[in-house]
Amino acid sequence: MAGGSLAGSKLRSFLTLLGIILATTTLIAVMSVIHGMDVYIAQNVSDMGADGFRVVRMAFIGDFDPKKYLELLRRNPELRRDEFDFIRSRAAIANQIGMQINRRTTASFESEKLEDVRLRGITPNVAAMSNTQIAYGRMFTDMENNRHLAVAFIGNDLKEKFYPNTEALGKQIKVNGRPFQVVGVAKKQGNVFGQSLDNFVMIPIETGFKMFGSRTGTSFFMRPRSPM
């Protein structure tokens, strides 16, 4: 009896210790995954980085609530260009301020077409603020933006779809049915949660305003000054 009790006690102690080890190992693994996701999102998904932020008409965290959405539609007006100009001229703590419009559109080249492309009309400084990496070519300039020129900076999905075996720079691409000249191509970013980060085209925001107007879909990008 004593020997059996001792053996049973050792077995229970071993199983208890094994359970503690497995639970601790699982906890460490989960915390490592969460930390890795935080770092990845900060560096890749959240393209503003840790110190940047956006001003948007409305934002949702968690499940979509139709009632809340309708309330925000009524309460929150669209952001306007004159508000951007006002903030840019008076924001003392901001190092950079940019503006963006966001749409979904169709892009095409000759007989090839891509649907549901993310169209970003931006002030040129938004590219640097959102850490957009250039594979080759360049981002469009303030002069091209001010003159409403039809120039485009494209993501890797568009490059591979339309120009898989040839140079993309200088080629013409149609965005929402309008021809644009490709001036730059972004480095490949890959997928996050099954969604491609490379299915986009950037155009000068003034060109975007000319195409779509400036009444909807506008947001502001901001990056504060570094503390002294």
Side-chain angles (χ1 to χ4, degrees):
M1 291 292 292
S5 176
L6 181 61
S9 177
K10 287 183 177 180
L11 180 59
R12 286 194 299 272
S13 297
F14 171 75
L15 292 177
T16 300
L17 179 61
L18 180 61
I20 293 172
I21 292 173
L22 289 175
T24 304
T25 302
T26 302
L27 178 61
I28 293 172
V30 170
M31 294 301 294
S32 298
V33 170
I34 292 174
H35 175 70
M37 290 182 66
D38 286 343
V39 172
Y40 182 82
I41 289 172
Q43 294 179 346
N44 297 277
V45 182
S46 179
D47 54 15
M48 288 295 291
D51 60 344
F53 63 95
R54 298 178 188 176
V55 179
V56 297
R57 183 186 184 191
M58 62 184 74
F60 285 93
I61 299 176
D63 295 334
F64 178 76
D65 184 343
K67 185 177 179 180
K68 182 70 172 179
Y69 174 73
L70 292 175
E71 178 187 342
L72 292 176
L73 278 179
R74 290 191 299 268
R75 189 182 67 189
N76 298 358
E78 293 281 357
L79 299 175
R80 305 193 312 269
R81 311 176 56 170
D82 59 308
E83 292 173 328
F84 171 77
D85 293 334
F86 180 88
I87 294 172
R88 184 172 56 178
S89 65
R90 290 167 173 79
I93 65 170
N95 181 41
Q96 295 187 68
I97 302 178
M99 183 167 46
Q100 171 181 280
I101 58 171
N102 205 22
R103 298 282 193 282
R104 289 288 175 177
T105 190
T106 299
S108 61
F109 174 71
E110 296 181 345
S111 61
E112 299 291 340
K113 180 183 292 187
L114 269 179
E115 304 283 352
D116 200 32
V117 176
R118 184 186 180 193
L119 170 63
R120 298 176 63 188
I122 62 170
T123 52
N125 64 338
V126 167
M129 294 173 67
S130 60
N131 197 31
T132 301
Q133 302 294 311
I134 299 175
Y136 51 88
R138 61 177 177 82
M139 180 54 61
F140 43 81
T141 65
D142 287 322
M143 181 274 292
E144 289 168 323
N145 179 51
N146 294 334
R147 295 179 60 188
H148 307 181
L149 296 188
V151 290
F153 181 89
I154 64 174
N156 188 71
D157 284 0
L158 278 70
K159 195 278 176 191
E160 293 300 320
K161 176 70 173 179
F162 300 144
Y163 321 105
N165 302 309
T166 187
E167 176 67 66
L169 299 183
K171 296 292 194 305
Q172 188 180 93
I173 183 175
K174 285 190 175 181
V175 178
N176 205 55
R178 176 174 176 175
F180 283 76
Q181 183 182 42
V182 177
V183 297
V185 178
K187 287 184 178 179
K188 184 175 181 179
Q189 302 176 70
N191 299 323
V192 173
F193 307 128
Q195 299 295 316
S196 175
L197 299 177
D198 300 301
N199 188 30
F200 70 86
V201 55
M202 295 178 175
I203 65 173
I205 192 168
E206 293 296 341
T207 308
F209 285 151
K210 187 176 180 180
M211 293 172 65
F212 304 106
S214 59
R215 294 182 178 273
T216 60
T218 303
S219 59
F220 305 154
F221 282 56
M222 297 189 185
R223 179 161 289 164
R225 297 184 187 277
S226 301
M228 300 298 291

